[in-house]
Amino acid sequence: MNRLSTALAPRIAAILAAAFLFLVTLALVLLASPAPVGAGPGFATGSADVRLVRLLSDIPDSMRARPEPLHDLRVRLVHGNVLVFRKGGEFAALLPIDRIPGSPDSLRYFFYVEKPSLFWIFAGARTKGIRTVAAGDSMQFNSFRLLWGHDGELGWIYFPDVRVNQHLRFSVVSGQSVDEVDPKYTKYWVELGAESEAGF
């Protein structure tokens, strides 16, 4: 019996080692795989970088002439896209609803703001609702400020080059509601720098 056990020991060890290696490999593959579209909170992160590139543009000369300086980048608003923002521990989202003709035109939009968590344990206070902004006016959030321009169907979001916007990050994900997205799970961001520069 002892001889049989001794003979089987190397085989059992080899089988266990192979099983362990398989499990480790499977875990690494699952961790490296991007989340599929429509699965979980980060459903749109896999293609957010491509969507961002298509929606980004340099600001026109007419906007450069404004008294308040703006960052060189602007992002186009499109139906079915939600803009998400991150500033320190604060998260926010913006979903355009429609453009209201007038003098000047206005944009109606959903917004969502989550303040920083308390002691990394308790979730921060959440606020959401519907607002309207006129062309050329500011969209004020808790810790940063945006500007809406009316060019195009739903217009563009501009970023004032001011202290409160330093290191503001933004991205774009698909969705029909601000409740469908969670900026904490967004993978690709554009960050506004401290010296009038923005980059990935």
Side-chain angles (χ1 to χ4, degrees):
M1 189 61 131
N2 290 336
R3 290 183 180 179
L4 182 59
S5 299
T6 304
L8 289 177
R11 294 183 182 181
I12 294 174
I15 292 172
L16 291 176
F20 176 78
L21 183 61
F22 172 78
L23 291 175
V24 170
T25 304
L26 180 61
L28 291 175
V29 169
L30 291 176
L31 287 174
S33 300
V37 174
F43 63 94
T45 60
S47 58
D49 57 336
V50 176
R51 187 177 294 110
L52 264 177
V53 170
R54 292 175 178 173
L55 298 176
L56 293 177
S57 169
D58 288 335
I59 65 174
D61 292 338
S62 59
M63 297 301 290
R64 296 180 190 277
R66 289 175 57 89
E68 182 180 54
L70 299 172
H71 283 278
D72 291 334
L73 284 178
R74 63 178 182 171
V75 58
R76 181 162 53 95
L77 295 176
V78 176
H79 285 295
N81 280 350
V82 181
L83 265 69
V84 290
F85 305 92
R86 182 173 186 172
K87 174 76 183 295
E90 179 181 318
F91 299 95
L94 183 159
L95 174 68
I97 302 173
D98 56 13
R99 180 171 173 168
I100 305 171
S103 298
D105 289 356
S106 299
L107 174 74
R108 183 163 43 201
Y109 62 95
F110 289 107
F111 75 94
Y112 162 90
V113 176
E114 181 179 335
K115 293 183 179 180
S117 58
L118 184 62
F119 304 118
W120 299 280
I121 300 175
F122 305 103
R126 297 182 178 183
T127 305
K128 63 180 179 179
I130 297 176
R131 290 177 179 166
T132 302
V133 60
D137 282 355
S138 294
M139 309 164 80
Q140 185 68 51
F141 290 79
N142 286 5
S143 64
F144 62 92
R145 183 161 56 87
L146 310 173
L147 187 145
W148 181 66
H150 64 278
D151 296 340
E153 182 181 358
L154 289 175
W156 297 77
I157 292 297
Y158 295 85
F159 304 93
D161 190 359
V162 292
R163 181 176 295 274
V164 295
N165 284 350
Q166 289 181 1
H167 306 298
L168 171 66
R169 297 180 180 184
F170 69 93
S171 188
V172 178
V173 296
S174 62
Q176 299 297 326
S177 168
V178 291
D179 296 322
E180 294 180 8
V181 300
D182 191 335
K184 293 189 291 296
Y185 292 95
T186 302
K187 184 176 181 180
Y188 302 101
W189 296 93
V190 173
E191 180 176 353
L192 302 179
E195 300 179 356
S196 303
E197 295 181 357
F200 288 98

